[in-house]
Amino acid sequence: MTKAQVVVLVMGVALSVSFGFQKINPLSVSQQQAPQDTLTVLHDTVSKPEWVALYDSLDLKERGLSEAAFQYAWYGFHKMNLGKHIMAIADFSQSSTKKRLYVIDFIQKKLLLNTFVAHGRNSGQEFAKSFSNDNSSYQSSLGFYKTLGTYQGKHGLSLRLEGVEKGINDRAFERAIVMHGADYVSENFIRNTGRLGRSQGCPAVSIADHKKLIDLLYNGAGLFIYSQNQAYFKKSSLLAGLNLTKEKGQNLGASLLYTSAK
């Protein structure tokens, strides 16, 4: 064997050692981690405010109560520090032919009563449009009230009211604005006239419901009389913490970021 042949033989052995006899690990590729799909599904983290959850659970939209009216009532109620946890809401944005008075227990989370309520004779016909705090105006006054004691008057058992918003309804007591029963608050009256009867400014209710209503509200509950009245919203100190600007033709509060699913 020549020297050149020896060199070729040595090179061949070296190459066979490097390539021919090298052990290949069949798991070497699979053990390398392939890039993972890291798409994260973001869950809806928007939770219902407590007032929205209660509004939905009581089916108040289906019963006709304005969502704005309920939010304002909720907000004002928690600022009033009342003796009772019950609030009556008179939604005067509705026709008087509707059951627009809602009595709600905010702690027990129950709708206790839903019935008719009258507005003042000079506030409007079927709808209440004008409001006043003046004596002898025969108009309803908007805003928040605290209930006081009862007395027997010309309408029988009546519930005194204290208007707690200065310049808006604080003359309620001297005007003798009270809750009482009246025969003009009835479905028969609506059928005969196309509207509910009207009071001299009192939130009058039916004879059938007035005793039950007064028993629920007596001495320390709240009443909120609502209407889509911008002058009231701008003046009310109890609603001062809300953003009461118009958006898309509606009055929205600052916490109305969640839209009810119902």
Side-chain angles (χ1 to χ4, degrees):
M1 180 180 293
T2 66
K3 185 177 180 180
Q5 289 175 326
V6 172
V7 172
V8 172
L9 180 61
V10 172
M11 292 179 63
V13 172
L15 289 172
S16 66
V17 170
S18 299
F19 297 101
F21 300 104
Q22 183 179 11
K23 291 183 178 180
I24 299 175
N25 186 351
L27 298 178
S28 61
V29 175
S30 63
Q31 285 179 338
Q32 295 179 3
Q33 293 293 327
Q36 299 294 315
D37 184 356
T38 57
L39 176 64
T40 301
V41 178
L42 296 177
H43 296 284
D44 183 5
T45 57
V46 179
S47 59
K48 292 183 182 182
E50 188 176 354
W51 70 268
V52 176
L54 181 56
Y55 180 83
D56 285 349
S57 70
L58 298 181
D59 293 323
L60 294 176
K61 182 176 181 179
E62 285 72 16
R63 292 179 177 271
L65 178 60
S66 160
E67 186 171 337
F70 185 76
Q71 185 200 8
Y72 300 152
W74 172 273
Y75 189 86
F77 170 83
H78 285 88
K79 292 181 71 174
M80 287 177 70
N81 192 28
L82 295 168
K84 287 187 173 182
H85 44 77
I86 294 174
M87 174 71 77
I89 305 171
D91 184 359
F92 280 178
S93 67
Q94 296 184 49
S95 163
S96 64
T97 64
K98 305 296 183 182
K99 291 185 176 182
R100 55 184 180 169
L101 181 67
Y102 307 80
V103 181
I104 299 168
D105 187 320
F106 280 160
I107 301 300
Q108 298 297 321
K109 303 184 186 307
K110 293 180 179 179
L111 177 64
L112 304 177
L113 186 64
N114 180 202
T115 190
F116 296 104
V117 61
H119 56 255
R121 67 176 65 165
N122 288 340
S123 283
Q125 296 289 323
E126 179 183 347
F127 289 88
K129 298 180 179 180
S130 301
F131 306 94
S132 176
N133 192 36
D134 295 337
N135 290 315
S136 302
S137 66
Y138 295 164
Q139 292 183 14
S140 299
S141 298
L142 297 175
F144 290 90
Y145 297 77
K146 182 172 69 174
T147 65
L148 303 175
T150 60
Y151 70 99
Q152 291 288 335
K154 64 179 180 179
H155 296 289
L157 182 66
S158 302
L159 178 65
R160 289 190 172 93
L161 301 172
E162 177 187 356
V164 300
E165 299 203 74
K166 186 174 178 60
I168 298 173
N169 60 19
D170 58 338
R171 291 180 177 173
F173 191 86
E174 65 182 83
R175 290 177 62 199
I177 300 300
V178 301
M179 298 194 84
H180 62 77
D183 55 10
Y184 54 77
V185 182
S186 68
E187 293 187 32
N188 283 335
F189 197 100
I190 294 172
R191 281 192 291 268
N192 292 332
T193 65
R195 60 168 172 78
L196 203 65
R198 298 164 300 160
S199 67
Q200 294 183 349
C202 296
V205 297
S206 70
I207 296 293
D209 288 334
H210 83 288
K211 289 184 178 180
K212 179 180 180 179
L213 177 67
I214 290 173
D215 185 59
L216 288 172
L217 298 180
Y218 169 77
N219 197 22
L223 167 67
F224 176 53
I225 299 180
Y226 167 81
S227 179
Q228 296 171 329
N229 184 286
Q230 292 298 308
Y232 164 69
F233 296 142
K234 292 176 181 178
K235 197 171 183 179
S236 173
S237 59
L238 283 173
L239 298 181
L242 289 174
N243 177 18
L244 299 170
T245 58
K246 280 192 173 183
E247 181 174 323
K248 296 182 180 179
Q250 296 180 342
N251 300 322
L252 299 178
S255 60
L256 251 172
L257 300 177
Y258 173 88
T259 301
S260 171
K262 293 192 175 183

